[in-house]
Amino acid sequence: VGAPQEPYAPALAAQGLPGERLLCVRSDKPLARLWAAEQALRCADVAAVLAWLPQARADQLRRLHLAAQSHPGSQQGMQQGSRQRLLFVFRTPVARHESSPARLRLLLEGSDELRVRILKRRGPPVDAPVVLDAHPPRLAALPASRRRAAPLPPSRPIPREVHALDRAVTA
């Protein structure tokens, strides 16, 4: 919901996520994004919602968190084999100082190497960031093979900036 760029289908397919199961919702209006995310969380066929909500307030996030917890099958359906519901909310770095119902909060920084700072989690605090290669070889091979197959039209560069991620995992 409200993704700043188109999802890269070959990378999703490489991770086992079929493109035909992906639904992208675009809106410039923050309230429309919140509404779409909440409706998706209430849909029985949705496994996960990724929402870019830079202006979301704590009460709005709590409402989304509750929608993720109370989706059809979350409690009764667990006995019938229901899947786990995931909610990922992307916010601005300024939001790291605001409250959130998320159980896990991450701050992502960097471009060539990705530094993941754990802002909130269950258990003791983690002071040092986790450092990851931002361009893993397996993923880098996808665009290279595609360039050999056919030239791509020019695209807008993806900004390499800091992003904050709130993740609420519910059963």
Side-chain angles (χ1 to χ4, degrees):
V1 177
Q5 301 288 329
E6 278 293 314
Y8 187 58
L12 294 175
Q15 296 300 316
L17 301 170
E20 63 272 5
R21 301 271 306 158
L22 180 68
L23 174 65
C24 295
V25 177
R26 293 179 192 91
S27 177
D28 293 333
K29 299 178 181 175
L31 289 178
R33 287 183 190 180
L34 282 165
W35 181 86
E38 185 175 351
Q39 295 309 307
L41 288 168
R42 296 187 188 284
C43 180
D45 292 333
V46 172
V49 173
L50 284 74
W52 281 259
L53 304 170
Q55 298 95 353
R57 298 184 320 262
D59 61 316
Q60 294 167 328
L61 293 173
R62 180 73 180 143
R63 184 177 171 124
L64 288 177
H65 184 75
L66 291 172
Q69 288 180 333
S70 62
H71 76 282
S74 64
Q75 292 173 1
Q76 303 144 3
M78 286 305 286
Q79 298 149 356
Q80 301 168 5
S82 164
R83 293 174 292 168
Q84 189 177 43
R85 184 60 48 105
L86 297 173
L87 169 63
F88 297 87
V89 177
F90 295 87
R91 300 170 70 197
T92 62
V94 176
R96 77 174 123 186
H97 303 294
E98 299 173 10
S99 65
S100 168
R103 294 180 185 168
L104 177 65
R105 296 185 74 186
L106 306 173
L107 178 67
L108 309 175
E109 302 171 299
S111 58
D112 290 330
E113 67 177 20
L114 188 61
R115 289 178 301 283
V116 181
R117 295 190 184 279
I118 301 172
L119 303 176
K120 177 182 174 183
R121 73 179 192 121
R122 290 187 174 182
V126 178
D127 295 327
V130 176
V131 180
L132 305 170
D133 184 7
H135 306 284
R138 192 169 149 204
L139 187 59
L142 288 171
S145 66
R146 188 156 170 92
R147 276 193 301 273
R148 286 190 300 268
L152 293 175
S155 62
R156 295 179 290 167
I158 298 173
R160 302 274 185 195
E161 54 190 56
V162 178
H163 295 280
L165 169 67
D166 285 357
R167 176 178 176 233
V169 180
T170 58

